[in-house]
Amino acid sequence: MHNEESRLHPITFIDPLAIDRPTYDRTVPARDSYQRRIDYLRISLTDRCNLRCVYCMPEVGMQFMPKDELLSNEELLRVVNACAQVGFRKIRLTGGEPTLRRDLVSLVAAIKAVPGIEHIAMTTNAVKLAPIAHQLKAAGLDRVNISIDSLDPQRFAQMTRGAKFADVWAGILAAEAAGLTPIKLNMVVVRGLNDHDVIDVAALTLTHDWDIRFIEVMPLSGVADVANDGVVASAELIGRIESEFGPIRDLGMHDADPAHRYRINGARGHLGFISSISEPFCSTCNRMRLTADGRLHLCLLRDNEVDLRGALRSGCDDDELMQIIRHAVYLKPWGHGLPDGVLPTLRGMSSLGG
Ligand code: SAM
Ligand code: SF4
């Protein structure tokens, strides 16, 4: 089905073995039907997590995927190989919490060894990062993004429903010492919960060469109650930061990075604002997501998915796998439906990886 048609009649789940697919040119990097070059794969290694952040998961009642539904390391590496051959260059490991995946270090090494993969990053809550930061670096991990929603230990525990701030701070320092740099810290801002911590978190850039990224909370499955009234538009945050620190320098947006970057006068690090709700950045989107159960999720804020696990387990060969991935890239939608009230309903953020 042509992309235009698929937008009018959205198909959420595509079994690539059950549809007619064109044959794609094997010699050129994959592009979607809007000519966006897609070269960045975010892999959710598990949907499980040792935390229950208020903007990500409900406190109780989470149901996790049975183990046999997750891609094995072997299946995952087949997908990464095929993605690299169609033109993907950057991988991010995420979750759930990627540090819960056993043999994470050897998995990083195996992914880094795939010809064509140039860069691997990981997004983590850092609770379990400190003891393995050096091993991850040695295995080939380039850098990390660490979630930190407050510098106040009590509020931090409230936002994450139980994490110890000291563990996460130790994780950040260990990542920096291991050379997993530049360090990027993600803060999801929720009005009435942690929006007053923005100034303290921004002030970290005065003394540390870190990138702090303020993320507008998104209303994914299971957290709509927190997210719907909780969005603080980036423009409002910038206003608050400027009243504290004076005018901040606008450094613009770069390549496919969704963050609009700024710098406080005299600061060592940068501030970034990811405004998925107030200023979507679909025109520069270069990414797709692989869920822990092996589906290519075509747009974070839409439900459309292409089932790779089914294809792998039906015995498709590498050539067919590459053709399926090219087709999934081609089908990538343009634009999300939040302004029209169209919400993704299939998955929560913890099975998509952010
Ligand atoms: N557990 C890891 C972590 O927290 O960094 C990785 C997975 S987490 C789902 C990935 C990113 O998604 C984190 O930066 C997190 O803050 C962000 N996130 C989770 N729920 C969100 C929401 N409702 N809106 C915006 N960002 C969200
Ligand atoms: Fe876990 Fe990350 Fe979601 Fe927090 S944001 S509950 S750490 S997956």
Side-chain angles (χ1 to χ4, degrees), residues 49 51-53 55-56 96 125:
C49 188
L51 303 182
R52 293 285 182 278
C53 302
Y55 48 76
C56 181
N125 62 34

Side-chain angles (χ1 to χ4, degrees), residues 46-58 94-98 100 123-127 147 149 159-161 163 188 349-351 353-354:
T46 172
D47 59 335
R48 289 168 195 270
C49 188
N50 43 356
L51 303 182
R52 293 285 182 278
C53 302
V54 293
Y55 48 76
C56 181
M57 291 191 191
T94 173
E97 177 45 41
L100 297 189
T123 302
T124 172
N125 62 34
V127 169
S147 298
D149 297 322
M159 294 296 292
T160 54
R161 296 204 183 93
V188 176
M349 197 62 106
S350 57
S351 79

Side-chain angles (χ1 to χ4, degrees), residues 40 42 90 92 143-149 183-189 201 205 210-216 237 256-261 270-274 287:
Y40 176 18
R42 298 172 64 100
K90 179 174 171 189
R92 175 172 300 274
R143 29 169 311 272
V144 285
N145 285 44
I146 295 174
S147 298
I148 188 163
D149 297 322
I183 298 284
K184 295 191 180 178
L185 304 184
N186 292 344
M187 173 174 181
V188 176
V189 182
V201 174
T205 62
W210 297 342
D211 272 22
I212 314 284
R213 297 148 76 90
F214 300 103
I215 302 174
E216 289 177 354
L237 290 185
D257 184 351
H260 193 134
R261 294 173 93 215
H270 296 97
L271 306 177
F273 294 85
I274 301 188
R287 58 197 63 193

Side-chain angles (χ1 to χ4, degrees), residues 38-191:
I38 309 301
D39 61 2
Y40 176 18
L41 184 67
R42 298 172 64 100
I43 302 176
S44 172
L45 290 182
T46 172
D47 59 335
R48 289 168 195 270
C49 188
N50 43 356
L51 303 182
R52 293 285 182 278
C53 302
V54 293
Y55 48 76
C56 181
M57 291 191 191
E59 184 166 15
V60 289
M62 279 301 291
Q63 300 223 316
F64 297 107
M65 297 165 188
K67 196 158 181 285
D68 62 348
E69 288 191 10
L70 305 188
L71 289 189
S72 66
N73 285 356
E74 195 188 334
E75 289 170 329
L76 191 61
L77 285 166
R78 267 194 78 193
V79 172
V80 172
N81 253 294
C83 283
Q85 291 197 49
V86 311
F88 283 74
R89 295 290 168 260
K90 179 174 171 189
I91 300 286
R92 175 172 300 274
L93 304 178
T94 173
E97 177 45 41
T99 57
L100 297 189
R101 180 109 176 190
R102 268 189 279 136
D103 53 27
L104 174 66
V105 172
S106 53
L107 193 55
V108 166
I111 293 174
K112 192 62 180 248
V114 170
I117 296 302
E118 293 166 1
H119 189 87
I120 314 186
M122 180 170 79
T123 302
T124 172
N125 62 34
V127 169
K128 291 162 74 79
L129 182 61
I132 55 169
H134 272 96
Q135 294 170 58
L136 287 169
K137 178 70 186 179
L141 187 69
D142 292 294
R143 29 169 311 272
V144 285
N145 285 44
I146 295 174
S147 298
I148 188 163
D149 297 322
S150 173
L151 302 186
D152 173 65
Q154 242 183 329
R155 192 141 46 244
F156 187 74
Q158 204 183 353
M159 294 296 292
T160 54
R161 296 204 183 93
K164 284 199 192 118
F165 180 79
D167 292 343
V168 173
W169 192 254
I172 296 170
L173 297 182
E176 186 171 44
L180 294 167
T181 52
I183 298 284
K184 295 191 180 178
L185 304 184
N186 292 344
M187 173 174 181
V188 176
V189 182
V190 186
R191 191 182 298 283

